[in-house]
Amino acid sequence: MYFQNIIVFGTGYVGLVASACFANMGKSVVCTDNCIEKINALENHQIPIDEPQLPELLENAVKNQQLLFTINPEEYFEQADFFIIAVGTPSLADGSCDTSSVFAVAKQIGEKIVSSKVIIIKSTVPVGTGEQVENIVKAELQKRAIYDIEIFIVSNPEFLKEGSAIDDFLKPERIIIGVQCQEAYLKMKDLYKPLLDQGYQIIPMSIRSAELAKYAANAMLSMRISFMNEMSYLCEKAGANIEEIRLAIGSDMRIGKYFLKAGIGYGGSCFPKDNKALEFLGKKYDVPLSLISATIEANKNQQKIFLNKIIDFFEGGLNEKKISILGVAFKPNTNDTRHSPGLYFANELLKKGAHISLFDPLVTTKENNICLLKQETQNRFEISNSIENCTQNSSAIVLCTEWEEFQNLDFDFLSKNMCQKLFFDGRNQYTKKHAEKYGFTYISVGRP
Ligand code: UDX
């Protein structure tokens, strides 16, 4: 018999990683989702995301009876102390954050609980959501004439990065805990005790600050990238080298060396979505967040600038030209293609009449975005099963993701395999000198 003390709502990155990690810390975890297919798949050991260490941790937790998946979590509600909301909060058409799934979970909890609970919001949500969740839960309790139980609302945003999510969770740089009272804080300390015992620190704050902290962190990181991307274009025009600028400014301790790599723009599920939500929040409170708007704009420009380099090169047009895209995951070690620069280039080049062959170590035709593209473009688009097939008789390579597999490409082979020797390096993985040695015309980002 399980002693269920945590219920996790959501089987996306945040929900699955939290479930796996808390279960392996010795907690009993019930993980749920309103999508029955996802739960069925998880019960059959099929994990919807490719994340290092996650399969092993999930497998181990299930085997040790620390974790179970269910579509009907209500039967475990009474035994649970902590309810973790980790459902998706996608963008609405106006850029604002869609919190409807968070509120639906709050209602589900309020409709059933009969004793005091801690409700932890891990989903990225706008300032004030904690209060709204509390109101929803209390309104449901009132409907059932329950007035005497305490509800502790906590904001505990997740800062994990895809590809290193487990390490980010188990070796956190910070654990942000937003609470309204000391009692809730003590309960959270108890939950995180295994990590606190190893010396990891909680930073306690108000719920509103914790909610905003997540957006501020993502905004700061993406702003740095956009800044470097704008600098890279200036470097190209002014004859400087962005890699040298990066070294120069990154060695200043006040600036730091991380998140300064220029490239073809940031992608993924968080930066694009969260920046839009933050921009919206600024409008709501009538506070101009011009840096956020500029960050979003610069990211779009960066992709267009690189695209135009490709289009301009083919003065006679791209009709019938085969272009090889290496990497369609938005970054290495994930199969996530949300807001992926590689997909953007594939789409735009297809519109110009090109044939696209795409290779990525993890992304397959099963992936939704790829499936759609294939349906729309039929025979002008293919997913290759190897770099060799992808580049055969191709007119150009466009390197979009810095996968390890692409770091030691056999240029000698490529020069014989391709019909035109053109290399667009969106991630500055090689040098002009190296590519030219094999007869390639080499175009990268922010370098002379
Ligand atoms: C990000 C945040 O890092 C994480 O804290 C938050 O919880 C979720 O959003 P993630 O989207 O997984 O994580 O990826 P990250 O490694 O941050 O990269 C985001 C994008 O920025 C990628 O497209 C990456 O290629 C790009 N990037 C990153 C750069 O272009 N240059 C850099 O120097 C760093």
mmCIF file of all heavy atoms in Angstrom, residues 391-412:
data_model
loop_
_atom_site.group_PDB
_atom_site.id
_atom_site.type_symbol
_atom_site.label_atom_id
_atom_site.label_comp_id
_atom_site.label_asym_id
_atom_site.label_seq_id
_atom_site.Cartn_x
_atom_site.Cartn_y
_atom_site.Cartn_z
ATOM 1 N N THR A 391 22.889 14.889 -46.932
ATOM 2 C CA THR A 391 23.717 15.826 -47.716
ATOM 3 C C THR A 391 23.979 15.351 -49.149
ATOM 4 O O THR A 391 24.600 16.079 -49.920
ATOM 5 C CB THR A 391 25.072 16.050 -47.003
ATOM 6 O OG1 THR A 391 25.692 14.771 -46.782
ATOM 7 C CG2 THR A 391 24.904 16.758 -45.685
ATOM 8 N N GLN A 392 23.487 14.164 -49.484
ATOM 9 C CA GLN A 392 23.777 13.632 -50.825
ATOM 10 C C GLN A 392 23.173 14.531 -51.917
ATOM 11 O O GLN A 392 21.987 14.870 -51.877
ATOM 12 C CB GLN A 392 23.191 12.221 -50.943
ATOM 13 C CG GLN A 392 23.729 11.486 -52.132
ATOM 14 C CD GLN A 392 23.267 10.042 -52.134
ATOM 15 O OE1 GLN A 392 22.183 9.723 -51.640
ATOM 16 N NE2 GLN A 392 24.079 9.173 -52.690
ATOM 17 N N ASN A 393 24.005 14.934 -52.857
ATOM 18 C CA ASN A 393 23.591 15.820 -53.969
ATOM 19 C C ASN A 393 22.975 17.127 -53.497
ATOM 20 O O ASN A 393 22.142 17.711 -54.192
ATOM 21 C CB ASN A 393 22.597 15.117 -54.914
ATOM 22 C CG ASN A 393 23.237 13.938 -55.608
ATOM 23 O OD1 ASN A 393 24.430 13.985 -55.930
ATOM 24 N ND2 ASN A 393 22.482 12.871 -55.790
ATOM 25 N N SER A 394 23.362 17.555 -52.349
ATOM 26 C CA SER A 394 22.781 18.771 -51.799
ATOM 27 C C SER A 394 23.570 20.002 -52.260
ATOM 28 O O SER A 394 24.763 19.909 -52.564
ATOM 29 C CB SER A 394 22.802 18.642 -50.283
ATOM 30 O OG SER A 394 22.690 19.895 -49.698
ATOM 31 N N SER A 395 22.879 21.146 -52.287
ATOM 32 C CA SER A 395 23.551 22.389 -52.709
ATOM 33 C C SER A 395 24.107 23.152 -51.522
ATOM 34 O O SER A 395 24.984 23.996 -51.693
ATOM 35 C CB SER A 395 22.563 23.291 -53.440
ATOM 36 O OG SER A 395 22.194 22.700 -54.642
ATOM 37 N N ALA A 396 23.564 22.907 -50.331
ATOM 38 C CA ALA A 396 24.070 23.648 -49.163
ATOM 39 C C ALA A 396 23.707 22.940 -47.872
ATOM 40 O O ALA A 396 22.664 22.284 -47.784
ATOM 41 C CB ALA A 396 23.474 25.050 -49.140
ATOM 42 N N ILE A 397 24.574 23.111 -46.897
ATOM 43 C CA ILE A 397 24.267 22.655 -45.535
ATOM 44 C C ILE A 397 23.907 23.891 -44.717
ATOM 45 O O ILE A 397 24.580 24.925 -44.820
ATOM 46 C CB ILE A 397 25.495 21.969 -44.904
ATOM 47 C CG1 ILE A 397 25.697 20.578 -45.516
ATOM 48 C CG2 ILE A 397 25.367 21.876 -43.388
ATOM 49 C CD1 ILE A 397 26.925 19.847 -45.010
ATOM 50 N N VAL A 398 22.840 23.766 -43.917
ATOM 51 C CA VAL A 398 22.530 24.832 -42.965
ATOM 52 C C VAL A 398 22.579 24.183 -41.581
ATOM 53 O O VAL A 398 21.702 23.391 -41.220
ATOM 54 C CB VAL A 398 21.133 25.453 -43.226
ATOM 55 C CG1 VAL A 398 20.893 26.636 -42.306
ATOM 56 C CG2 VAL A 398 20.981 25.868 -44.680
ATOM 57 N N LEU A 399 23.600 24.481 -40.808
ATOM 58 C CA LEU A 399 23.745 23.876 -39.475
ATOM 59 C C LEU A 399 22.969 24.731 -38.469
ATOM 60 O O LEU A 399 23.271 25.901 -38.270
ATOM 61 C CB LEU A 399 25.228 23.776 -39.098
ATOM 62 C CG LEU A 399 25.571 22.844 -37.933
ATOM 63 C CD1 LEU A 399 27.027 22.432 -38.000
ATOM 64 C CD2 LEU A 399 25.295 23.449 -36.578
ATOM 65 N N CYS A 400 21.947 24.119 -37.871
ATOM 66 C CA CYS A 400 21.039 24.896 -37.011
ATOM 67 C C CYS A 400 21.113 24.531 -35.530
ATOM 68 O O CYS A 400 20.658 25.291 -34.686
ATOM 69 C CB CYS A 400 19.604 24.720 -37.484
ATOM 70 S SG CYS A 400 19.342 25.386 -39.120
ATOM 71 N N THR A 401 21.588 23.327 -35.204
ATOM 72 C CA THR A 401 21.660 22.921 -33.794
ATOM 73 C C THR A 401 23.070 22.380 -33.531
ATOM 74 O O THR A 401 23.572 21.574 -34.325
ATOM 75 C CB THR A 401 20.636 21.799 -33.486
ATOM 76 O OG1 THR A 401 19.386 22.146 -34.073
ATOM 77 C CG2 THR A 401 20.445 21.604 -31.992
ATOM 78 N N GLU A 402 23.662 22.799 -32.430
ATOM 79 C CA GLU A 402 25.051 22.396 -32.177
ATOM 80 C C GLU A 402 25.132 21.025 -31.494
ATOM 81 O O GLU A 402 25.716 20.869 -30.427
ATOM 82 C CB GLU A 402 25.818 23.473 -31.404
ATOM 83 C CG GLU A 402 25.291 23.827 -30.017
ATOM 84 C CD GLU A 402 24.170 24.833 -30.006
ATOM 85 O OE1 GLU A 402 23.227 24.726 -30.820
ATOM 86 O OE2 GLU A 402 24.195 25.728 -29.142
ATOM 87 N N TRP A 403 24.522 20.019 -32.140
ATOM 88 C CA TRP A 403 24.620 18.643 -31.655
ATOM 89 C C TRP A 403 26.081 18.198 -31.683
ATOM 90 O O TRP A 403 26.827 18.567 -32.586
ATOM 91 C CB TRP A 403 23.834 17.702 -32.576
ATOM 92 C CG TRP A 403 22.356 17.672 -32.338
ATOM 93 C CD1 TRP A 403 21.405 18.311 -33.078
ATOM 94 C CD2 TRP A 403 21.660 16.946 -31.329
ATOM 95 N NE1 TRP A 403 20.154 18.033 -32.580
ATOM 96 C CE2 TRP A 403 20.287 17.199 -31.508
ATOM 97 C CE3 TRP A 403 22.055 16.110 -30.283
ATOM 98 C CZ2 TRP A 403 19.308 16.649 -30.691
ATOM 99 C CZ3 TRP A 403 21.086 15.561 -29.465
ATOM 100 C CH2 TRP A 403 19.730 15.837 -29.675
ATOM 101 N N GLU A 404 26.449 17.337 -30.749
ATOM 102 C CA GLU A 404 27.811 16.790 -30.742
ATOM 103 C C GLU A 404 28.110 16.075 -32.072
ATOM 104 O O GLU A 404 29.223 16.164 -32.594
ATOM 105 C CB GLU A 404 27.920 15.797 -29.587
ATOM 106 C CG GLU A 404 29.311 15.737 -28.987
ATOM 107 C CD GLU A 404 29.364 14.727 -27.863
ATOM 108 O OE1 GLU A 404 28.495 14.774 -26.984
ATOM 109 O OE2 GLU A 404 30.287 13.881 -27.902
ATOM 110 N N GLU A 405 27.075 15.416 -32.612
ATOM 111 C CA GLU A 405 27.227 14.684 -33.878
ATOM 112 C C GLU A 405 27.671 15.579 -35.028
ATOM 113 O O GLU A 405 28.164 15.112 -36.032
ATOM 114 C CB GLU A 405 25.880 14.029 -34.279
ATOM 115 C CG GLU A 405 25.529 12.787 -33.511
ATOM 116 C CD GLU A 405 24.851 13.077 -32.168
ATOM 117 O OE1 GLU A 405 24.966 14.214 -31.676
ATOM 118 O OE2 GLU A 405 24.235 12.156 -31.613
ATOM 119 N N PHE A 406 27.445 16.892 -34.893
ATOM 120 C CA PHE A 406 27.791 17.800 -35.992
ATOM 121 C C PHE A 406 29.108 18.524 -35.731
ATOM 122 O O PHE A 406 29.482 19.426 -36.466
ATOM 123 C CB PHE A 406 26.683 18.850 -36.200
ATOM 124 C CG PHE A 406 25.313 18.272 -36.456
ATOM 125 C CD1 PHE A 406 24.163 18.987 -36.120
ATOM 126 C CD2 PHE A 406 25.159 17.016 -37.044
ATOM 127 C CE1 PHE A 406 22.904 18.457 -36.342
ATOM 128 C CE2 PHE A 406 23.901 16.485 -37.272
ATOM 129 C CZ PHE A 406 22.772 17.202 -36.922
ATOM 130 N N GLN A 407 29.780 18.142 -34.660
ATOM 131 C CA GLN A 407 30.974 18.911 -34.312
ATOM 132 C C GLN A 407 32.241 18.427 -35.010
ATOM 133 O O GLN A 407 33.219 19.158 -35.072
ATOM 134 C CB GLN A 407 31.145 18.953 -32.793
ATOM 135 C CG GLN A 407 30.312 20.098 -32.234
ATOM 136 C CD GLN A 407 30.084 20.039 -30.751
ATOM 137 O OE1 GLN A 407 30.846 19.393 -30.039
ATOM 138 N NE2 GLN A 407 29.045 20.712 -30.303
ATOM 139 N N ASN A 408 32.201 17.206 -35.525
ATOM 140 C CA ASN A 408 33.367 16.709 -36.270
ATOM 141 C C ASN A 408 32.938 16.171 -37.625
ATOM 142 O O ASN A 408 33.221 15.030 -37.971
ATOM 143 C CB ASN A 408 34.064 15.600 -35.468
ATOM 144 C CG ASN A 408 34.838 16.189 -34.314
ATOM 145 O OD1 ASN A 408 35.691 17.045 -34.524
ATOM 146 N ND2 ASN A 408 34.506 15.755 -33.117
ATOM 147 N N LEU A 409 32.263 16.978 -38.385
ATOM 148 C CA LEU A 409 31.780 16.527 -39.692
ATOM 149 C C LEU A 409 32.965 16.230 -40.602
ATOM 150 O O LEU A 409 33.999 16.922 -40.529
ATOM 151 C CB LEU A 409 30.895 17.614 -40.326
ATOM 152 C CG LEU A 409 29.543 17.870 -39.652
ATOM 153 C CD1 LEU A 409 28.852 19.071 -40.295
ATOM 154 C CD2 LEU A 409 28.646 16.636 -39.725
ATOM 155 N N ASP A 410 32.794 15.211 -41.436
ATOM 156 C CA ASP A 410 33.857 14.818 -42.370
ATOM 157 C C ASP A 410 33.734 15.692 -43.629
ATOM 158 O O ASP A 410 33.010 15.363 -44.570
ATOM 159 C CB ASP A 410 33.680 13.320 -42.686
ATOM 160 C CG ASP A 410 34.785 12.796 -43.569
ATOM 161 O OD1 ASP A 410 35.527 13.615 -44.150
ATOM 162 O OD2 ASP A 410 34.896 11.556 -43.683
ATOM 163 N N PHE A 411 34.438 16.800 -43.628
ATOM 164 C CA PHE A 411 34.322 17.762 -44.731
ATOM 165 C C PHE A 411 34.802 17.169 -46.054
ATOM 166 O O PHE A 411 34.290 17.523 -47.113
ATOM 167 C CB PHE A 411 35.102 19.050 -44.398
ATOM 168 C CG PHE A 411 34.291 20.047 -43.626
ATOM 169 C CD1 PHE A 411 33.905 19.798 -42.317
ATOM 170 C CD2 PHE A 411 33.898 21.246 -44.204
ATOM 171 C CE1 PHE A 411 33.145 20.715 -41.608
ATOM 172 C CE2 PHE A 411 33.135 22.175 -43.506
ATOM 173 C CZ PHE A 411 32.753 21.902 -42.200
ATOM 174 N N ASP A 412 35.766 16.269 -45.966
ATOM 175 C CA ASP A 412 36.277 15.643 -47.182
ATOM 176 C C ASP A 412 35.147 14.845 -47.840
ATOM 177 O O ASP A 412 34.865 14.978 -49.034
ATOM 178 C CB ASP A 412 37.459 14.735 -46.802
ATOM 179 C CG ASP A 412 38.134 14.192 -48.038
ATOM 180 O OD1 ASP A 412 38.179 14.939 -49.048
ATOM 181 O OD2 ASP A 412 38.585 13.025 -48.015
#
